[in-house]
Amino acid sequence: MAEVDPPRVGGILLAAGGSRRMGRAKQLVTFEGTTLIRRSAEVLEASQCDPCTVVLGALAERCKEELAGIEINICINDHWESGMSSSIKAGLTQLLQIDPQIEGVIITLGDQPHITAAILDNFIAEYRRIRPAVIASEYNNVIGVPALFSSLMFDSILKLEGDRGASRLIRAAGDQAVTLNVPEAAFDIDSPADLVSVGETNT
């Protein structure tokens, strides 16, 4: 009997926002010697996600410079100010143009620096094992991203509006969603105080 190829799962890195709470482009903030956007893109590139794209918006050209040398697709969301959902839709649309046969997609953020390629690969392994509609991260009594959405959810993703993003889809999946314990997702960088808390100055 011929072997069946495992389902392909793409990856979307959301890095289009204006970082109002940070007061400057969060994507370009340095964490442990590397900008957040480059660090997150390298993680996605190193994972089993394929194809992958980075969705840019605010300071897109400067962010592109930070991605030099990383083999990852770039998607420019001209409507990034309308909310995170527009970036999710833009990223998924591009991935489906690249590979219409992908069976799932992982949505990850640029401000969770403790997320690793191994963590993302755990999502893919769990999806290949039980094929749920959604696999979300669970941490500190929060259900969120990174999260994997199967192709069953693609139509719903493409109908998203506003700034609620993936959280609405996770809730809508109900008992079709499962979770993985990802304590590393609990730390994100939203403000200068978050950097100070881990000893980063970023002056």
Side-chain angles (χ1 to χ4, degrees):
M1 180 180 295
E3 292 187 7
V4 177
D5 291 335
R8 295 192 298 279
V9 176
I12 300 173
L13 170 59
L14 301 178
S19 313
R20 293 183 183 88
R21 289 180 60 191
M22 180 62 69
R24 56 195 173 106
K26 182 163 51 176
Q27 300 92 320
L28 303 176
V29 165
T30 299
F31 183 87
E32 295 182 350
T34 307
T35 57
L36 288 178
I37 189 169
R38 186 171 185 88
R39 181 187 183 96
S40 301
E42 288 176 338
V43 164
L44 193 56
E45 180 193 32
S47 77
Q48 295 176 23
C49 293
D50 183 38
C52 299
T53 189
V54 180
V55 184
L56 304 180
L59 295 179
E61 292 305 314
R62 179 66 185 87
C63 289
K64 277 185 182 180
E65 295 174 5
E66 282 299 312
L67 298 172
I70 302 176
E71 293 186 6
I72 196 165
N73 298 287
I74 293 176
C75 175
I76 304 298
N77 177 19
D78 293 326
H79 307 288
W80 64 269
E81 290 181 285
S82 67
M84 186 180 293
S85 63
S86 67
S87 291
I88 296 174
K89 290 190 292 185
L92 179 58
T93 297
Q94 186 191 68
L95 290 186
L96 290 173
Q97 289 171 346
I98 296 169
D99 184 357
Q101 303 304 315
I102 58 172
E103 297 183 41
V105 64
I106 291 180
I107 296 175
T108 188
L109 304 178
D111 62 359
Q112 294 175 311
H114 295 320
I115 297 299
T116 64
I119 290 171
L120 300 183
D121 289 346
N122 286 341
F123 280 85
I124 296 176
E126 186 71 357
Y127 175 69
R128 289 173 175 170
R129 187 176 72 85
I130 61 174
R131 307 292 179 91
V134 176
I135 306 175
S137 297
E138 183 172 4
Y139 51 92
N140 293 353
N141 297 314
V142 172
I143 306 297
V145 292
L148 186 153
F149 297 89
S150 81
S151 56
L152 296 173
M153 302 296 294
F154 286 179
D155 285 345
S156 296
I157 290 175
L158 295 174
K159 293 175 183 175
L160 280 173
E161 298 291 341
D163 202 34
R164 295 189 180 182
S167 60
R168 178 189 297 179
L169 294 175
I170 295 170
R171 291 194 300 270
D175 60 7
Q176 297 298 309
V178 300
T179 61
L180 288 180
N181 184 35
V182 187
E184 295 88 351
F187 177 68
D188 62 1
I189 295 175
D190 277 333
S191 68
D194 295 325
L195 290 169
V196 172
S197 72
V198 290
E200 293 279 349
T201 56
N202 268 262
T203 55

